[in-house]
């Protein structure tokens, strides 16, 4: 057993930079240096990161979308032997549109300790720089490429009241912006956060319609996160609208009590407001 594995077995999720190597944290370096095994998407890429960090290469295991399930047995065996297994992806946080989630679940199910050394993630980085509401948001990652999966997700995004964060490849950006404009309307605000933390970092803010024009003028290059404003809240129904709905329900023979409940539910307004209008209170 190596000196490193004198520690208790644990799975370490390690965040790595999304572009700027200066964002590799001292704790990340420490975790990678202490690992008996580093699971990574691309051994050459992670090898270069380790070299940059001055970490003498521990054993590397390729874990990508295709091999993650196969790697579980090997990783669990090592954890059971008391080894420290680090998980990194090519960039950012493992498990966020990247492998890692299934390894974590397997380690948790087997009763092993799982720790995280947080680092940057493009989603959060783009959200905070976007200027759109970060108080409540939802992460969509990459939309399904085609079929009903894509149509349904676009419809859900269109009605989502929270800020939506999406990832997209540059060569699919124009199509995705077009589809978003179709489902959300061209006036919806969007932020294109490009090449974050890198030399050509750029944060563009405008409407979906403007974004489509911009992308048509200049072919997108590099990595992009789209941050989309939430759907505007539907206007609250006025007293006149509630009264008309009540009148229609009563005219159909519904009792006042049932009409109040029905109208409150359908219009999404408090029952006591509908009751007050029904009884002139
Ligand atoms: N695990 C990563 C994370 O935590 O952000 C995400 C990996 S996902 C496979 C890669 C996508 O993240 C890219 O296609 C792009 O949408 C986004 N991305 C990654 N780095 C970025 C950067 N520096 N600037 C803008 N977007 C980036």
């Amino acid at each position: 057993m190596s000196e490193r594995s004198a520690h208790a077995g644990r799975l370490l999720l390690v965040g790595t930079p999304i572009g700027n190597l200066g964002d590799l944290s001292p704790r990340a370096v420490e975790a990678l240096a202490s690992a008996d095994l580093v699971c990574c998407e691309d051994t050459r890429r992670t090898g270069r990161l380790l070299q940059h960090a001055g970490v003498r290469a521990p054993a590397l295991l390729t874990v990508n979308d295709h091999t993650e399930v196969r790697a579980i047995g090997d990783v669990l065996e090592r954890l059971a032997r008391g080894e420290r297994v680090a998980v990194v992806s090519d960039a950012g946080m493992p498990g966020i549109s990247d492998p890692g989630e299934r390894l974590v679940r397997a380690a948790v199910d087997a009763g092993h300790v799982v720790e995280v050394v947080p680092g940057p993630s493009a989603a959060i980085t783009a959200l905070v720089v976007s200027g759109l509401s970060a108080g409540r948001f939802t992460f969509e990652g990459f939309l399904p490429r085609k079929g009903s999966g894509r149509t349904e997700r676009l419809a859900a995004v269109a009605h989502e009241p929270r800020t939506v964060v999406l990832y997209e490849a540059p060569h699919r950006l124009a199509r995705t912006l077009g589809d978003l404009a179709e489902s959300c309307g061209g006036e919806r605000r969007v932020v294109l956060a490009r090449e974050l933390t890198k030399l050509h970092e750029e944060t563009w803010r405008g409407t979906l319609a403007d974004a489509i024009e911009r992308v048509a003028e200049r072919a997108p290059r590099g990595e992009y996160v789209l941050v989309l404003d939430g759907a505007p809240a539907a206007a609250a129904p006025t007293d006149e609208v509630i009264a008309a709905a009540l009148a229609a329900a009563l005219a159909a023979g519904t009792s006042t009590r049932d009409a109040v409940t029905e109208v409150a539910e359908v219009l999404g307004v408090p029952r006591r407001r509908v009751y007050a209008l029904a009884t002139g209170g």
Side-chain angles (χ1 to χ4, degrees), residues 216-271:
E217 278 164 15
R218 220 194 304 170
R221 289 174 68 155
E223 298 195 278
Y224 283 84
V225 180
L226 280 76
V227 188
L228 186 70
D229 203 5
T238 60
D239 284 356
E240 287 71 26
V241 169
I242 297 172
L246 267 172
L250 294 170
T254 312
S255 69
T256 305
R257 188 191 157 97
D258 288 349
V260 167
T261 307
E262 193 181 299
V263 169
E265 260 177 36
V266 170
L267 296 182
V269 289
R271 200 177 174 283

Side-chain angles (χ1 to χ4, degrees), residues 87-152:
V87 182
V88 297
S89 64
D90 278 352
M93 288 301 289
I96 301 297
S97 296
D98 266 341
E101 183 182 317
R102 287 172 289 193
L103 278 178
V104 172
R105 202 155 39 236
V108 169
D109 288 348
H112 295 294
V113 175
V114 179
E115 280 179 3
V116 61
V117 179
S121 184
I124 299 295
T125 310
L127 176 68
V128 297
V129 81
S130 71
L132 297 177
S133 173
R136 296 181 72 218
F137 69 93
T138 172
F139 174 64
E140 278 291 338
F142 294 97
L143 289 174
R145 296 226 187 121
K146 53 187 178 186
S148 57
R150 184 171 175 94
T151 319
E152 282 162 21

Side-chain angles (χ1 to χ4, degrees), residues 6 11 13 20 28-29 48 74 92 104 133-134 143 159 161 204 213 217 224 232 257 260 270 273:
L11 191 71
L13 297 157
N20 191 323
V29 174
R48 283 199 297 272
D74 192 9
V104 172
S133 173
L143 289 174
H159 292 105
W204 178 92
E213 251 179 54
E217 278 164 15
Y224 283 84
R257 188 191 157 97
V260 167
R273 182 172 165 208

